[in-house]
Each structure stands twice: as C-alpha cells, then as structure tokens.
Amino acid sequence: MSKDVLLEIGTEEIPAHYMPSVLSQVQQLAADKLNKANIAYEDIRAVGTPRRVALLVKGVAEKQADISSKNKGPSVKIAYDSDGNPTKAAMGFARGQKIAVEDLVVEDGYVYANVTSIGAETAGLLPDILTGIITGLGFPKSMHWGSLDFHFVRPIRWIVALFGDDVVPFELAGVKSGRISRGHRFLGTGDFEIPSMAAYERTAKEHFIIVDPEERKELILAGLQKLADEKGGTIIMDDDLLEEVIFLVEYPTALCGEFDEDYLKLPEAAIITPMKDHQRYFPMRDKDGKLMNLFLTVRNGDDYHLETVQHGNERVLRARLDDAKFFFEEDKKHKLVDYVEKLKKIVFQDGLGTLYDKALRLEQITVFLNQKLDLGLSDEALKRASLLAKADLATQMVMEFTELQGVMGKEYAMIDGEGEDVAEALTEQYQPRFAGDELPQTDMGKVLGLADKFDTITGMFSRGFIPTGSQDPFALRRQTIGVLNILMDAGWNLNCHEVFAFVLDLLQVDKDKQMEVMGQLNDYFVLRLKNIFQDKGVDYHIIDCVLSDDTLNAAKAARRAQALIDADLMGKTELLQAFTRVGNMIKDAEDTTVDASLFETDEEKALYAACQAMESGLAQAYAVYDYAAAADILSEGIGAINDFLDNVLVMHENAAVKENRIHLLTLTYSLISPIGDIKKLS
C-alpha cells in the first residue's frame, strides 16, 4: 500500500530570483532522503509561490523496504577451532550481526551472516525526513527572527505536512505542522484546510492560489498575448523578467497601460530600462518594429477594478520617465567628452586610482592589443574610445539608471558626432553582461572590452581581491569567462600572460610581486577555461592535453581541443603509446640537434630518416589544425620508434653517443608536441 506526502512551508514573501533554486533543492533533497531511507515512491514534484514552497510526493510506500544482506566475517580457520567449535571470533561476529552463531554459513573459506533488516513504518520516519528537507535548504542570504537561532530565507509562518489524510507531527522554528494553509493576501478568506495532497492544488485554487509555477506561466503568457493582439503589438519578451514575474504573483491577471507619446523621443533604452528593470513591465513594438507607448504587466489578483490598478501603474511609470527625460535633457547640455574631467573625482578602486586613471590605462592597453593581434585598427580611434569609455558613468542618466552604462555612452557619442565604431565600442565593452549574453561584434568593441576586463581583473588580483567559491563581489569570474569567450569567438591568438605583465607594469606593481600575481591569474584563467570546455562536453584528457603548455592562449587551446576530437586521436592507441614511450625517455630535454655521424645502429638511422620524412608534412597539417592528417603522418614513424626503443641502448657508455640518442628522441617527440602533452591522453 502507498500514500501521498504533502509538505508546504508557508513564509513571508521569498525573493523571486531565489525560487527556481529553492524548488530544485526541495525536489532533490526529498529524493535523496527517501532513497537513503529505502522508502519507495512513484513521483516527486516541487511547486511554489512567493509565500509558499510545496513538495508533492505521490505513491509513498507505507514502510521501508526490507533489506537482506550477506555480510562477510572471519576466515574459517579463525572462526572455528580444530574440533569445529566456534571461537570467540565467530561468536563476536554473530553477536554483532544479531544472529545466532549456529546460523553462520561457510563459503569460500570464510563465514558469512545472512541478515535481513525489517523496514520501519514510513509514518514514524517522516517527521525527521521532512524536517531535514526544510533545514537542508540553502539560500544566498538567510535571516533569523525573534529570539530564535534558526535561520531561513524568510520567517516561517505555517507548515502543512500530510501523509495520506494524516498530519505528520513535528515542530520547527516555533511552528507546529498541521493541515492549515493560508489563502491569497487580498482575495482569500484567510486560513483554509487541506484534506490531502491530491486535493492540494484544487483547494488552493479555490482560495486564489495557483501553486504550480508552470500553470502561472501559461496564464501569464496567454494574458499578455491576448492584450498584445488586441493592441496590434508584439511583446518584447525577456525570459528572466518572465521568470521573475511568475514568482512575484500567486494569482496572475495581465493588464495593459499607456504613457504619453512624447516620451518616445527619449532613447529606447531610457524607456525600456525603467519599464523592465524597475517596474517589471513588458514593452511592445508595433508592426513596423517601433516602440509603442504601451506596456503590459501582471497584477497579483483578479480583474476587479483593474482600471484602477492600470492607472496606478501608469502614474508610477510616468514619474520614472519624467526623471529619465529630465536627466537626458540635462546631460545633452554637455558633450560626452566633457564628463571625462569628472572621472578624476570618482575612485575606481582603492589602490587602482580613479576612473580617469583607468581610462588612461585603457588607452595603452587597447593599442597594445591592437599591435599584438595585428588587427590594423586605428590607434587614435582606440584611444578616443578608451578616453570616453567610462565618461557616461558621470552623467545624471547613468547615475540614476546604472543599468544604462555603456548604452547611454553610445547614445551621447552618436549625438556628439563621434565615429560610429567608437560609439558602438562604448556599449560593447560591457558585453557579455551576464551568462548567455551576446559577445561584442565589432573588433573595436572586442578590444575595448578585453582591455577593460584585463585591467579590472589584473588590478583586483594585484590588490589581493581574488574570488573564492562563495565570494566574488567584483564579478571577476564573469569577466574572466567573458575574456576567454571573446578570444575564442574571435579566434584571436593572444597569450594572456603578456597582457597580465603589461597591465601589472602600468599599475607599477613591484617586480617581485608580479610573478606571484601572474601565477594566481594563470591558475584562475586556466580553471575557468577548463570549466568552459567541460560545459561543452570536452573529455578531461583532451582538456589536460591542450592546457599543458606554458602559454595561456584560449583560442589556440579551443582549436586544438576541437582538432583532437575531430581526429579521434584518443582512439589511436598505438600511436599514443609509441610517442608516450619517447616522452618518458627524454623527460624535460629540449635539444633536437642530431649528429648523424655518431649513429652506430640501423635503428638510429631509420628513426632519423623517419623524422626527416615526417617534418615537412606535419608543419602544413599543424598550420591548419588538421590533426587527422598529422596523425596519419606520425603513424608512419611508429615502427621506427618501437624498433629504436626495443633494440637501442640510449644510455651508451660513450657520452657523445648517449647525448646524440637523447637528442634524436627529443627531435622525435617534438614532432607530436604541437598537439600538447599527449601523455595526458592515455
């Protein structure tokens, strides 16, 4: 027989962006704890609203499964004496297994105990299991209330815990479990009773609570689309905003509001940002793609007096747009370059100067990158973009709406008649702004973005602000991943070590400390690069192989990793074994100068001839990362390598002959070394 389990944790409003993680944790914790307790179940779901997190487990067994095990004990020689009587060892083992000594069985020279553990009743285990689920949840920030030491994301106000029709009794944070839940704050009639898990969602809906976020999502999307169709508009959809709205409401109703067309004279970003980021509104475009003076939003309630709610939302947005209009008009009274002077009074970071100092560093870093990458960009244009890069941070618009950094820089630069490439770079420098965001598309934007991120990351590391697993207040992890993705997407061969050294010199970091900081930066970048490759499903052997050299070149590592995958080099066992043997012989040797006059054996001559035959073709294959062709060429030398290693004594008594043979092996290994440390592929 089986019953259903319901756990509802009622709280004050939980931050919307916490909820997806919380629901995922609840579901995983429940599965882990039930499996560990050997309690069978059919299905687990986690649902929730801003004020409740609910676990629904269907078909939970009424008792644990019985567990039979065969436990190995001492050997027969130790368990029984010469007369076949059980010794103290046998009796102690039987006692520990809670069976009679005569029930021990003998197999393969050892004694065994066949033990069956009778499963306990699930009802008696659930209080601890459900309590453990609640206390096992983790949050970015938690709080405690009253005189309690207990911490949770928000104060717990009620707990519903049911097993079938019965309450699972326990108490947590001063709240006793029961079957009483609470309805919608405004539409509901207060507390209500939940008879069982099967009736939970239906009963909650009767009190204006839609507990399933997927159902709320469908209702929201349908409501928004209906209004958009009526107005002849297209929703500017944002998945992150939609997810946030889903977890802001318990009973959604879509509505449409309007604002004065005069505000459409503002830059689009100055209109959309207050809508989305501040008010959680969805903007719309007309059939021609132009922004409409309409917005969509979602009310946490029904359609009663919806026009009053609409007017309230319009009034709030009007105030925000009035602010934006005022700031925009005030900012336009000056050119963007005029704001550069104000950067001298804005500290970038203690020990790293002001934003003006950062702008001066960006001028030098962008020119350095342009030359290193041989991009052919105008140094003067790069210097201009660098000088203006942070100027919009001193404008009133960006100080009020910080999300518009870079966006308004581009807008003001275009108004001032700055070059289009410079203006575009001002907004692209911040990309990617978040995981999954677009990368910069113009070369100047990529260079400025790289310079900005390299300066910030290197500067912070030089000051000891190195991210940890839980602390990354300056978003250095995101910026590092941004650098690596920009380089790989552009295919730019750049040794990051050279950029680190250049920036550290600009920051006037002591030479003695530079080596330490360079090592920390290398380790951090390599780890992020490994994570990127792992997320793409690259085998860890290949990752270790391509990241084994002394340079930190993300684009080159990416090409080599893909080339190894395409060539299926890990499947070429004979080739890898032959060259790995060579690599193990030479260790760290580097000299590839071979004197053919010192050859004493046919094997030496054959291996040297094979190396000469392979060299020219390999250079061409490596140049285009054609590792399949390279593997075919290298395979031609397998026989010569094995013959040499099997028949030639490298450690010859004649020092000159010995060194020459080591040089020959070093030359041989150098033919495969452009691929990486192939010993890592084994």
Side-chain angles (χ1 to χ4, degrees), residues 245-286:
V245 171
I246 289 169
F247 289 108
L248 285 173
V249 298
E250 294 189 312
Y251 195 83
T253 299
L255 63 91
C256 180
E258 185 177 359
F259 58 90
D260 196 311
E261 287 189 3
D262 190 53
Y263 292 121
L264 293 176
K265 297 175 183 177
L266 289 168
E268 268 198 8
I271 304 171
I272 292 176
T273 296
M275 280 192 194
K276 292 170 60 175
D277 295 350
H278 294 259
Q279 302 306 132
R280 278 60 178 178
Y281 297 165
F282 295 88
M284 286 196 294
R285 297 190 187 279
D286 62 20

Side-chain angles (χ1 to χ4, degrees), residues 324-341:
K325 182 179 179 181
F326 172 78
F327 295 138
F328 184 59
E329 295 299 330
E330 288 297 304
D331 288 342
K332 286 197 303 177
K333 292 177 180 178
H334 305 277
K335 289 186 177 296
L336 182 61
V337 71
D338 295 336
Y339 291 97
V340 172
E341 187 67 21

Side-chain angles (χ1 to χ4, degrees), residues 25-292:
Q25 287 184 67
V26 166
Q27 188 163 321
Q28 187 61 54
L29 281 168
D32 291 345
K33 289 185 177 296
L34 290 173
N35 290 333
K36 187 176 181 180
N38 294 306
I39 299 175
Y41 59 88
E42 294 178 14
D43 182 59
I44 293 181
R45 289 173 61 213
V47 297
T49 74
R51 294 197 301 147
R52 70 201 70 226
V53 175
L55 170 70
L56 292 79
V57 191
K58 184 179 179 182
V60 178
E62 293 192 55
K63 64 184 292 292
Q64 290 176 305
D66 296 342
I67 301 176
S68 297
S69 61
K70 187 176 183 179
N71 302 327
K72 187 177 182 180
S75 66
V76 173
K77 293 180 181 179
I78 296 174
Y80 299 99
D81 61 21
S82 57
D83 296 326
N85 298 314
T87 64
K88 289 183 178 180
M91 289 186 284
F93 174 64
R95 187 166 53 252
Q97 299 296 313
K98 298 181 180 179
I99 64 171
V101 70
E102 55 268 21
D103 290 334
L104 295 175
V105 296
V106 176
E107 288 183 19
D108 304 325
Y110 290 87
V111 295
Y112 291 85
N114 293 319
V115 179
T116 299
S117 298
I118 304 301
E121 296 294 324
T122 299
L125 301 173
L126 279 177
D128 286 342
I129 291 175
L130 298 185
T131 301
I133 291 172
I134 299 173
T135 58
L137 294 173
F139 313 98
K141 290 183 180 180
S142 57
M143 61 184 294
H144 65 88
W145 55 98
S147 59
L148 299 174
D149 290 332
F150 180 78
H151 283 68
F152 204 65
V153 60
R154 289 293 184 270
I156 295 177
R157 296 308 187 200
W158 75 89
I159 298 173
V160 175
L162 300 176
F163 183 41
D165 298 333
D166 301 321
V167 171
V168 179
F170 64 91
E171 183 174 341
L172 186 64
V175 179
K176 292 183 178 180
S177 61
R179 62 171 72 250
I180 304 300
S181 183
R182 296 185 185 177
H184 192 281
R185 281 198 185 276
F186 311 114
L187 303 178
T189 55
D191 295 349
F192 64 93
E193 185 175 292
I194 300 174
S196 66
M197 188 208 81
Y200 174 59
E201 293 180 77
R202 171 180 52 78
T203 307
K205 195 173 295 186
E206 291 172 356
H207 292 79
F208 301 95
I209 303 293
I210 299 176
V211 294
D212 188 345
E214 286 300 317
E215 184 178 353
R216 293 200 302 278
K217 179 180 180 179
E218 292 176 7
L219 288 171
I220 290 169
L221 287 175
L224 294 176
Q225 192 58 55
K226 181 175 182 293
L227 291 172
D229 291 342
E230 291 175 358
K231 301 296 183 180
T234 301
I235 306 169
I236 302 178
M237 186 53 68
D238 183 308
D239 291 338
D240 290 336
L241 175 59
L242 175 61
E243 183 177 89
E244 183 177 9
V245 171
I246 289 169
F247 289 108
L248 285 173
V249 298
E250 294 189 312
Y251 195 83
T253 299
L255 63 91
C256 180
E258 185 177 359
F259 58 90
D260 196 311
E261 287 189 3
D262 190 53
Y263 292 121
L264 293 176
K265 297 175 183 177
L266 289 168
E268 268 198 8
I271 304 171
I272 292 176
T273 296
M275 280 192 194
K276 292 170 60 175
D277 295 350
H278 294 259
Q279 302 306 132
R280 278 60 178 178
Y281 297 165
F282 295 88
M284 286 196 294
R285 297 190 187 279
D286 62 20
K287 63 179 186 301
D288 297 322
K290 295 180 180 180
L291 193 66
M292 302 176 73

Side-chain angles (χ1 to χ4, degrees), residues 365-664:
I365 300 170
T366 53
V367 171
F368 174 81
L369 292 173
N370 187 33
Q371 293 170 352
K372 276 290 176 185
L373 295 167
D374 194 23
L375 298 175
L377 298 173
S378 165
D379 285 348
E380 293 307 312
L382 284 170
K383 289 180 179 179
R384 186 65 174 176
S386 299
L387 181 66
L388 299 175
K390 305 303 174 185
D392 68 342
L393 298 180
T395 65
Q396 295 189 62
M397 180 72 88
V398 175
M399 283 193 285
E400 178 68 18
F401 302 107
T402 56
E403 304 90 340
L404 292 176
Q405 63 178 1
V407 176
M408 294 312 300
K410 174 184 175 181
E411 190 71 34
Y412 294 142
M414 294 295 288
I415 292 173
D416 294 345
E418 300 286 353
E420 187 175 341
D421 53 350
V422 170
E424 190 64 38
L426 297 185
T427 188
E428 288 189 336
Q429 67 175 306
Y430 293 105
Q431 294 175 325
R433 295 173 184 259
F434 50 84
D437 189 22
E438 289 185 0
L439 298 174
Q441 297 300 304
T442 68
D443 283 352
M444 190 170 292
K446 293 172 186 175
V447 171
L448 184 58
L450 288 172
D452 182 32
K453 293 173 179 63
F454 270 121
D455 178 76
T456 299
I457 298 165
T458 307
M460 290 300 182
F461 269 67
S462 74
R463 300 293 297 163
F465 297 117
I466 302 174
T468 63
S470 59
Q471 298 292 324
D472 185 18
F474 302 105
L476 301 185
R477 184 179 293 105
R478 173 178 59 79
Q479 294 188 67
T480 300
I481 293 171
V483 166
L484 296 170
N485 280 323
I486 290 171
L487 290 173
M488 289 189 289
D489 181 71
W492 287 349
N493 284 319
L494 180 70
N495 183 356
C496 294
H497 293 157
E498 296 178 350
V499 190
F500 298 151
F502 185 78
V503 177
L504 288 170
D505 282 340
L506 291 179
L507 293 169
Q508 299 180 338
V509 176
D510 292 339
K511 290 294 182 182
D512 292 340
K513 187 178 180 181
Q514 282 196 22
M515 294 304 296
E516 177 189 353
V517 176
M518 291 270 288
Q520 293 168 337
L521 285 164
N522 176 78
D523 293 345
Y524 193 75
F525 270 64
V526 168
L527 181 57
R528 303 280 82 73
L529 191 52
K530 282 185 177 180
N531 290 340
I532 291 172
F533 286 154
Q534 288 172 349
D535 290 343
K536 293 180 179 180
V538 180
D539 188 280
Y540 75 92
H541 292 93
I542 292 176
I543 297 173
D544 289 342
C545 175
V546 301
L547 295 180
S548 60
D549 56 21
D550 295 331
T551 60
L552 178 54
N553 187 324
K556 185 178 179 181
R559 288 196 192 97
R560 287 163 58 198
Q562 190 57 53
L564 284 170
I565 295 170
D566 294 341
D568 188 26
L569 202 65
M570 288 183 62
K572 303 185 187 306
T573 308
E574 190 178 4
L575 173 66
L576 293 177
Q577 287 177 343
F579 277 92
T580 298
R581 290 180 68 191
V582 175
N584 291 335
M585 289 291 293
I586 64 169
K587 300 191 183 301
D588 298 324
E590 296 180 357
D591 196 335
T592 60
T593 305
V594 178
D595 185 351
S597 67
L598 293 174
F599 291 159
E600 294 184 351
T601 66
D602 291 339
E603 287 84 358
E604 289 173 281
K605 297 174 185 177
L607 180 55
Y608 187 50
C611 289
Q612 291 178 313
M614 290 186 284
E615 275 184 311
S616 60
L618 284 173
Q620 184 177 356
Y622 288 142
V624 294
Y625 295 92
D626 188 351
Y627 286 2
D632 291 340
I633 296 170
L634 291 166
S635 295
E636 296 173 3
I638 294 175
I641 291 172
N642 289 332
D643 288 344
F644 179 94
L645 294 176
D646 291 342
N647 302 302
V648 177
L649 177 64
V650 175
M651 298 301 162
H652 196 279
E653 59 186 14
N654 184 320
V657 173
K658 181 184 76 171
E659 289 300 317
N660 197 54
R661 288 176 177 176
I662 293 175
H663 293 173
L664 176 57

